[in-house]
């Protein structure tokens, strides 16, 4: 997940509200934290950032620790349609989840399709400083344990993470691109330290219009100085 650096008055750990004004959509935990017994709920996404001090090495960095009960049933989180409808949610289980239909019929996108404007998940890749989209046209995708991501709501229902979505198989997922045997055009552009990419996939029974679950829009939760994308015919 992505955020700004912490200051003396806040921790770099916060929640997202798309209904808030531009530049104020993230609300960070105050320092000091007044309510040390606060329960922040399950299935909700949080954003955090590690210290960039070069003196702090991988061996000396601290882990972000989550504590709570082990879930043995469906976990739901209420979506908001405020702003542009973007909601930050997160895998509440200590296992991988089937992300799309190519992974398993019981998957996050299919289960929650009726609540979303499009069957797309947006993940932040801090290594490339870019948003990565995952939809039904991707190869089998698995959501990492406790991984946060954005979805775009069309209605204010309960976004569900079910027991049937859980799997111990990761399929090598994270933010790594997998190979496939379909015809696909990959476009990329680099400017300085920034790199962006998009794919054009030729899939049977899709159209030149927007095919929900197979086409994805760019993440609109924040402004970007560099993007590469295609347009509908």
């Amino acid at each position: 997940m992505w955020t700004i650096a912490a200051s003396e008055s806040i921790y770099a750990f916060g929640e997202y509200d798309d209904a808030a004004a531009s530049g104020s959509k993230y609300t960070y935990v105050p320092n000091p934290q007044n309510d040390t017994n606060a329960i922040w709920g399950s299935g909700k996404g949080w954003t955090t950032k590690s210290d960039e001090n070069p003196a702090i090495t991988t061996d000396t960095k601290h882990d972000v620790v989550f504590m709570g009960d082990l879930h043995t049933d469906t976990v739901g989180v209420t979506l908001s349609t405020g702003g542009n409808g973007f909601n930050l949610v997160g895998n509440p289980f200590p296992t991988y989840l089937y992300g799309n239909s190519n992974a398993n019929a019981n998957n996050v996108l299919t289960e929650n399709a009726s609540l979303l404007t499009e069957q797309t998940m947006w993940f932040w890749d801090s290594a490339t400083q870019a948003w990565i989209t995952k939809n039904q046209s991707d190869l089998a995708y698995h959501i990492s344990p406790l991984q946060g991501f954005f979805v775009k709501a069309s209605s204010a229902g309960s976004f569900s993470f079910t027991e049937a979505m859980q799997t111990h198989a990761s399929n090598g997922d994270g933010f790594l691109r997998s190979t496939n045997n379909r015809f696909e055009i990959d476009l990329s552009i680099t400017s300085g330290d920034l790199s962006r990419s998009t794919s054009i996939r030729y899939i049977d029974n899709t159209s030149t219009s927007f095919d929900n679950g197979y086409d994805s829009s760019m993440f609109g939760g924040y402004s970007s100085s560099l993007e590469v994308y295609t347009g509908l015919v």
Side-chain angles (χ1 to χ4, degrees):
M1 292 180 287
W2 174 83
T3 188
I4 60 174
S7 70
E8 293 182 357
S9 60
I10 60 172
Y11 290 103
F13 191 86
E15 57 186 325
Y16 183 86
D17 180 7
D18 203 29
S22 177
S24 302
K25 294 182 182 292
Y26 288 98
T27 301
Y28 300 98
V29 175
N31 179 20
Q33 165 65 359
N34 298 324
D35 186 0
T36 56
N37 295 315
I39 298 176
W40 291 332
S42 300
K44 182 177 181 179
W46 293 84
T47 181
T48 188
K49 185 178 183 181
S50 61
D51 198 321
E52 292 184 336
N53 186 338
I56 299 179
T57 65
T58 300
D59 293 334
T60 58
K61 284 185 177 180
H62 297 288
D63 293 330
V64 177
V65 179
F66 293 89
M67 294 172 33
D69 297 330
L70 183 67
H71 295 297
T72 57
D73 203 351
T74 296
V75 174
V77 56
T78 300
L79 298 183
S80 169
T81 57
N84 293 313
F86 289 106
N87 287 256
L88 181 55
V89 297
N91 177 4
F93 296 109
T95 60
Y96 288 87
L97 296 181
Y98 297 121
N100 59 4
S101 56
N102 285 327
N104 190 275
N106 298 307
N107 64 84
V108 170
L109 286 178
T110 301
E111 173 71 23
N112 298 287
S114 63
L115 299 175
L116 305 178
T117 59
E118 59 182 276
Q119 294 181 51
T120 299
M121 301 175 289
W122 290 272
F123 296 84
W124 177 251
D125 184 356
S126 59
T128 61
Q129 299 183 52
W131 292 98
I132 293 177
T133 59
K134 292 295 179 181
N135 60 28
Q136 301 288 27
S137 74
D138 283 289
L139 299 179
Y141 185 73
H142 300 76
I143 303 171
S144 300
L146 304 181
Q147 173 70 56
F149 57 95
F150 278 94
V151 294
K152 190 174 183 180
S154 60
S155 58
S158 179
F159 191 91
S160 297
F161 296 98
T162 69
E163 286 278 297
M165 296 174 185
Q166 294 187 79
T167 176
H168 291 293
S170 70
N171 200 37
D173 287 324
F175 297 110
L176 300 179
R177 185 182 299 275
S178 301
T179 59
N180 61 73
N181 58 3
R182 67 186 171 211
F183 185 66
E184 179 173 315
I185 299 174
D186 295 319
L187 305 175
S188 63
I189 185 172
T190 299
S191 177
D193 294 332
L194 299 179
S195 180
R196 301 289 186 264
S197 63
T198 190
S199 297
I200 304 171
R201 297 165 180 167
Y202 290 82
I203 302 172
D204 291 341
N205 302 316
T206 55
S207 69
T208 55
S209 299
F210 184 85
D211 294 297
N212 191 3
Y214 296 87
D215 292 317
S216 293
S217 58
M218 293 188 302
F219 180 65
Y222 84 119
S223 60
S224 174
S225 59
L226 179 67
E227 294 293 344
V228 57
Y229 57 91
T230 59
L232 296 176
V233 175

